[in-house]
Each structure stands twice: as C-alpha cells, then as structure tokens.
Amino acid sequence: MKNRLEELRRARGIRQEELADALGVSRQTIGSLENGRYNPSILLAFKLARYFDMSIEDIFIYEEEVR
Amino acid sequence: MKKSVLYLLLAAAGAVLLIAGGLWLRSGVENVAAYLCIGVGAGILGHGLGGWLQERALSKDPETRRRLEIETSDERNIILSCRAKAKAYDAMVYIFGTLMLVFALMRVDVAAILLLVAGYLAVCGIGVYYRIRYDKEI
C-alpha cells in the first residue's frame, strides 16, 4: 500500500528515529512503512494518523487490486 | 522480588546442580543422572548469570532498556519473528519426515523410530490445536 509518510515526516522536519520514538516502534518499522514494504496494523495506522493530526485515508492510499 | 535477585537465585541453583553433578561423578558412581545434573546445571547457571548481568547493565542505562523494550514489542519485529518460526516449522515437518524414513531404511532400533514418530505427530498435533483455538478466538 502506498502512503505519504515520508512526505509528511519531511514536511515536519523530523527524523525517522524521532517519529519511531513518538510512536513506540523501531526505526526500521518507519523505514519499511515509508518504502511501502510493510503495511501497519490498524492500531499503528491510528497512531500515525493522530500524530500527524490527519485521517488514515489522508496518509495511506488504498488502491483496489485489478483482477 | 527484583528480577536481578531472581536471576542470581537461578544462577546459584544452577551452580549447586553443577557442583553436585561433579561430586557425584568424582565419587566413582558413573550414571546418566550425574551428567544430566552437570548439563542442566551449567545451562541454568549460564542463563541466570546472563540475565543478572543484563539486568545490572540495563538498570544503569534506562534509555537502552526503553529501546530494548521497543524492539521486543515492535509489531514489525513480532511479525518477522512469527513468519520465521512458521517457515522453520514447515521445514521441520519435511526434515522430521526425511529423518524417519532414513532411520527406518538404516534399520535403527524401532523404539527410537517410534519416539521420533511420536515427536513428529506431537508437533503436528500442537499445530492443529492452535489452528483450531485461534480460529475460535480471533
């Protein structure tokens, strides 16, 4: 799933370590989220949304799979 | 009770077991239990001392403790660990199966093969049990 995490984080001028610390996850998790290699749990998605004061849909871009 | 004290008690129990095993062997009575005491004692002693040293180091460095707690509770790390275990389980089923076949072809004692089969079936049974249990819970 694509997301705007890196863009939002850079816009706020914070490092991956700082975001990870604020959310209580590892820096590698933030890196994997930004690369789109890892999809977060709904709890982490809510934490991210609260942190950036946005809705989950504003951060994560859901694209339906074409069959 | 503090965790470090618990680890120290564990280390002491391991040391007692290790020394008892050594004395048992020195007394001239050679049996499996003495070697078992030495093996288990050494393991418990190592685990206890390791835990105690870790607790001591972390008590002086709360930042490292916090980071360690984050690393162990991190959802991605937990998922990676579960996936790795699942892969290892899949591999184990094939490895156990092959071993049973090889042992049977080598005409190894039936008791040993049956023990291996029992272990194999127990592992598969535990897998099925948790599959059903989680199906009800989640």
Side-chain angles (χ1 to χ4, degrees), chain A residues 12-67:
Chain A
R12 296 202 177 202
I14 50 173
R15 292 183 295 125
Q16 283 187 343
E17 287 87 348
E18 290 167 327
L19 182 58
D21 262 6
L23 300 171
V25 295
S26 66
R27 190 200 57 77
Q28 286 84 353
T29 298
I30 300 298
S32 293
L33 283 169
E34 288 185 357
N35 291 332
R37 287 197 308 259
Y38 173 65
N39 291 327
S41 68
I42 193 75
L43 286 175
L44 184 53
F46 269 111
K47 278 186 187 177
L48 280 162
R50 289 232 172 119
Y51 182 85
F52 288 111
D53 200 19
M54 298 170 102
S55 67
I56 291 176
E57 291 91 332
D58 290 334
I59 301 173
F60 295 95
I61 303 138
Y62 174 66
E63 287 170 340
E64 212 156 329
E65 279 179 43
V66 183
R67 293 191 182 190

Side-chain angles (χ1 to χ4, degrees), chain B residues 31-83:
Chain B
N31 61 23
V32 180
Y35 288 109
L36 209 63
C37 280
I38 291 173
V40 173
I44 294 174
L45 175 67
H47 180 72
L49 277 181
W52 179 68
L53 285 171
Q54 187 187 4
E55 276 301 312
R56 255 187 68 142
L58 290 179
S59 67
K60 289 174 189 165
D61 192 353
E63 178 57 22
T64 307
R65 184 188 288 276
R66 194 183 66 84
R67 290 208 169 277
L68 201 69
E69 276 166 10
I70 286 177
E71 286 295 326
T72 47
S73 63
D74 179 59
E75 65 172 46
R76 180 174 161 272
N77 283 344
I78 292 171
I79 288 173
L80 293 182
S81 167
C82 289
R83 273 198 195 181

Side-chain angles (χ1 to χ4, degrees), chain B:
Chain B
M1 195 185 285
K2 275 176 75 178
K3 240 182 172 180
S4 57
V5 178
L6 273 177
Y7 279 125
L8 261 186
L9 286 175
L10 201 65
V16 167
L17 212 58
L18 183 65
I19 292 165
L23 290 175
W24 202 351
L25 271 185
R26 278 192 71 181
S27 68
V29 188
E30 217 174 278
N31 61 23
V32 180
Y35 288 109
L36 209 63
C37 280
I38 291 173
V40 173
I44 294 174
L45 175 67
H47 180 72
L49 277 181
W52 179 68
L53 285 171
Q54 187 187 4
E55 276 301 312
R56 255 187 68 142
L58 290 179
S59 67
K60 289 174 189 165
D61 192 353
E63 178 57 22
T64 307
R65 184 188 288 276
R66 194 183 66 84
R67 290 208 169 277
L68 201 69
E69 276 166 10
I70 286 177
E71 286 295 326
T72 47
S73 63
D74 179 59
E75 65 172 46
R76 180 174 161 272
N77 283 344
I78 292 171
I79 288 173
L80 293 182
S81 167
C82 289
R83 273 198 195 181
K85 278 183 201 169
K87 284 277 175 202
Y89 171 81
D90 288 345
M92 190 175 66
V93 168
Y94 288 110
I95 292 166
F96 264 44
T98 313
L99 265 180
M100 281 186 291
L101 193 68
V102 170
F103 279 1
L105 290 172
M106 284 167 66
R107 296 186 185 281
V108 171
D109 188 22
V110 179
I113 297 174
L114 285 178
L115 273 174
L116 194 60
V117 172
Y120 179 85
L121 291 177
V123 168
C124 293
I126 291 167
V128 172
Y129 167 76
Y130 276 105
R131 177 67 182 79
I132 294 167
R133 190 173 149 179
Y134 289 147
D135 193 46
K136 284 177 186 165
E137 282 179 9
I138 301 171

